[in-house]
C-alpha cells in the first residue's frame, strides 16, 4: 500500500491515546485512594459540564459552569498537593503538545501534525531516533589520532575538529545553509556519524528531516518509477533536509539511477531544499560514476559545502577500553 507508513504513523497516535487514557485512569485511581474527595469533585465537574451541554442543546443558556469548574479545579489541585502529588497530576496526558496525540492540528481546517510527518519519514527511511543516536555533544574528538596529514602539521584530530565545527554550523543554519553538503573520503573516518549528528540537531531545531542510505533511496525511486495503479509517496523530493548516506553503494539501473538521481538533485536545488551526501568516492570517482552533470552540482562551491575526510580508519584503532569505534 502506497501510504502504509502514514497509516501506521496515525495508528501509533491512536495507540498512544489509549495508553494515555489508561494512564489518566491509573492516576485518578491513585489520587482518589489517597483522598476520595478528589474523585467526588471530578465527578461533580464532569456532570456539571454534561448538564450544561444538555441545556444548551435544549436552547437554555447554562449559567455559572465556568466559575464552578474553576473553583473545583483549584480545590482538586490543593487536595492533590496535600496528598503528595503535583497540582497537575490529573491533567490530560499526551506526548505531543501540538496535536495532543490525535495526529492532527487546527480547528476548522485539520492538518497532519509534524509528529506524524516525522514518524512517517522515519518509517520510510527505516531509521529511528533514540536517546543514544549520534549527536554533536557526544562526538569524541579523542578517538582520532594525532597523525600528521600534511606539511603544515595538520593532524587527523585537528582536521576532524574543524570538520565537526563546520557540520555543526551547517546544521544550525538549515534551511538557510548552503543547498548541498558533501562529506567525502575513505570509510571509517566519521562521515556517517556526523551525518547523523546533523540530522539530530536539525530535527531538534524543528526542521523536518529524512535520512536514507543511497541504496534505500534508489529502491524507493525505482518503486515509484514502476508504480502503475496507485501513487507512491516521494517525500524525499520536498522534505526540507534530506540526508543521503553512502552515495555510490546503490545499484546502477539503466534509465533509472542516473536519470532519477539527477532529477532529484536538480528538483531540490531548484526548490531551495537542502541535501547532505556522504560518500567514499573521490570527486573523480563521482564524475566517472554519475557523469559531469551530477558531479558539477555536488562540487559547485557556490552551492555546496564540500568537506574532505582524511586519515586512518578509526574503527581499526583500539581505544583505551580495548574496543574500536564501530559507528563511523
Amino acid at each position: 500500500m502506497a501510504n502504509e507508513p502514514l497509516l501506521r504513523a496515525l495508528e501509533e497516535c491512536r495507540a498512544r491515546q489509549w495508553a494515555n487514557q489508561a494512564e489518566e485512569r491509573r492516576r485518578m485511581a491513585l489520587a482518589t485512594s489517597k483522598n476520595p474527595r478528589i474523585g467526588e469533585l471530578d465527578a461533580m465537574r464532569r456532570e456539571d459540564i454534561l448538564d450544561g451541554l444538555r441545556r444548551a442543546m435544549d436552547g437554555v443558556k447554562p449559567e455559572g459552569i465556568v466559575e464552578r469548574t474553576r473553583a473545583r479545579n483549584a480545590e482538586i489541585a490543593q487536595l492533590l498537593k496535600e496528598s503528595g502529588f503535583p497540582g497537575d497530576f490529573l491533567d490530560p496526558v499526551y506526548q505531543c503538545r501540538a496535536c495532543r496525540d490525535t495526529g492532527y492540528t487546527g480547528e476548522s481546517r485539520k492538518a497532519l501534525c509534524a509528529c506524524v510527518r516525522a514518524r512517517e519519514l522515519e518509517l520510510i527511511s527505516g531509521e529511528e531516533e533514540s536517546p543514544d543516536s549520534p549527536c554533536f555533544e557526544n562526538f569524541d574528538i579523542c578517538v582520532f589520532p594525532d597523525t600528521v596529514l600534511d606539511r603544515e602539521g595538520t593532524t587527523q584530530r585537528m582536521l576532524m575538529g574543524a570538520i565537526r565545527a563546520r557540520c555543526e554550523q551547517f546544521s544550525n543554519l538549515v534551511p538557510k545553509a548552503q543547498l548541498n553538503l558533501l562529506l567525502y573520503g575513505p570509510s571509517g573516518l566519521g562521515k556517517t556519524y556526523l551525518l547523523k549528528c546533523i540530522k539530530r540537531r536539525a530535527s531538534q531545531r524543528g526542521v523536518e528531516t529524512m535520512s536514507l542510505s543511497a541504496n534505500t533511496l534508489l529502491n524507493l525511486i525505482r518503486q515509484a518509477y514502476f508504480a502503475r495503479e496507485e501513487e507512491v509517496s516521494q517525500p524525499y523530493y520536498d522534505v526540507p533536509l534530506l540526508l543521503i548516506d553512502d552515495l555510490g553503494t546503490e545499484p546502477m539501473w539503466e534509465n533509472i539511477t542516473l536519470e532519477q538521481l539527477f532529477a532529484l538533485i536538480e528538483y531540490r536545488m531548484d526548490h531551495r531544499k537542502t541535501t547532505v551526501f556522504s560518500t567514499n568516492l573521490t570527486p573523480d570517482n563521482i564524475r566517472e560514476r554519475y557523469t559531469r552533470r551530477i558531479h558539477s552540482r555536488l562540487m559547485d562551491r557556490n552551492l555546496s559545502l564540500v568537506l574532505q575526510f582524511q586519515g586512518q580508519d578509526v574503527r581499526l584503532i583500539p581505544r583505551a577500553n580495548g574496543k574500536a569505534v564501530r559507528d563511523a
Side-chain angles (χ1 to χ4, degrees):
M1 185 179 297
N3 61 347
E4 183 177 349
L6 175 58
L7 293 177
R8 180 175 166 187
L10 289 170
E11 287 174 0
E12 289 179 0
C13 275
R14 287 191 285 271
R16 288 204 304 270
Q17 286 182 296
W18 285 104
N20 294 343
Q21 292 167 8
E23 174 62 14
E24 290 170 4
R25 291 192 295 271
R26 185 193 70 81
R27 293 187 183 189
M28 177 60 73
L30 184 58
T32 54
S33 69
K34 293 290 186 69
N35 191 325
R37 175 62 178 168
I38 293 174
E40 295 172 3
L41 288 167
D42 179 65
M44 291 168 62
R45 68 181 176 183
R46 288 175 183 273
E47 180 56 35
D48 204 8
I49 292 172
L50 289 173
D51 183 61
L53 290 173
R54 287 192 289 266
R55 287 173 176 270
M57 292 176 66
D58 292 335
V60 179
K61 183 179 180 180
E63 301 288 346
I65 292 180
V66 174
E67 293 77 11
R68 290 193 298 272
T69 300
R70 185 181 297 117
R72 287 163 180 157
N73 288 346
E75 186 177 354
I76 289 173
Q78 182 59 38
L79 293 175
L80 285 170
K81 292 176 182 178
E82 292 174 1
S83 302
F85 302 105
D88 61 355
F89 186 66
L90 297 181
D91 284 0
V93 176
Y94 44 81
Q95 295 180 29
C96 178
R97 291 184 176 275
C99 70
R100 299 194 174 190
D101 294 338
T102 64
Y104 295 92
T105 58
E107 294 298 330
S108 58
R109 186 176 182 180
K110 297 290 185 181
L112 276 176
C113 182
C115 73
V116 174
R117 174 67 170 172
R119 180 57 179 151
E120 178 192 11
L121 296 181
E122 278 188 347
L123 291 169
I124 293 173
S125 66
E127 295 188 5
E128 300 185 22
E129 287 280 341
S130 75
D132 297 325
S133 295
C135 61
F136 288 112
E137 291 75 14
N138 292 339
F139 184 89
D140 185 2
I141 197 69
C142 294
V143 305
F144 300 95
D146 274 323
T147 307
V148 176
L149 299 174
D150 56 32
R151 294 181 180 179
E152 286 72 34
T154 304
T155 67
Q156 185 173 351
R157 186 174 299 175
M158 292 167 58
L159 174 65
M160 288 308 303
I163 288 177
R164 176 203 178 280
R166 296 296 299 277
C167 288
E168 185 170 18
Q169 180 185 42
F170 183 92
S171 65
N172 288 334
L173 291 174
V174 172
K176 296 182 180 180
Q178 288 169 282
L179 288 182
N180 295 325
L181 169 60
L182 176 64
L183 311 176
Y184 79 92
S187 62
L189 301 184
K191 298 186 300 298
T192 295
Y193 191 97
L194 281 172
L195 181 142
K196 292 179 179 179
C197 289
I198 293 169
K199 178 183 186 299
R200 185 165 182 178
R201 175 64 61 81
S203 297
Q204 290 171 340
R205 293 180 49 244
V207 179
E208 191 177 273
T209 69
M210 185 177 193
S211 179
L212 294 163
S213 69
N215 186 63
T216 299
L217 172 64
L218 261 296
N219 275 292
L220 291 172
I221 288 175
R222 184 173 183 267
Q223 177 187 359
Y225 183 82
F226 287 110
R228 289 290 183 269
E229 296 180 357
E230 56 183 352
E231 182 181 350
V232 176
S233 176
Q234 300 183 73
Y236 37 82
Y237 271 92
D238 289 304
V239 66
L241 175 60
L242 175 65
L243 305 101
I244 303 173
D245 194 23
D246 276 337
L247 186 70
T249 60
E250 73 285 348
M252 294 294 286
W253 288 309
E254 186 177 356
N255 299 324
I256 297 179
T257 300
L258 294 181
E259 290 77 0
Q260 297 303 313
L261 184 59
F262 176 78
L264 173 63
I265 295 172
E266 188 80 347
Y267 177 93
R268 291 187 59 79
M269 294 179 69
D270 286 346
H271 291 78
R272 312 298 296 176
K273 306 293 183 181
T274 304
T275 311
V276 177
F277 303 86
S278 81
T279 182
N280 295 343
L281 301 176
T282 66
D284 286 342
N285 294 151
I286 293 173
R287 184 188 295 109
E288 292 169 4
R289 180 178 174 87
Y290 298 108
T291 74
R292 187 177 298 276
R293 290 193 309 169
I294 293 177
H295 173 270
S296 65
R297 282 153 181 78
L298 297 186
M299 302 301 296
D300 186 342
R301 301 293 174 137
N302 294 318
L303 299 171
S304 302
L305 173 61
V306 181
L307 300 177
Q308 181 181 8
F309 289 62
Q310 302 178 60
Q312 302 177 54
D313 185 336
V314 295
R315 295 173 299 184
L316 305 180
I317 302 174
R319 301 184 66 178
N321 60 6
K323 297 180 180 179
V325 179
R326 296 301 178 193
D327 188 5

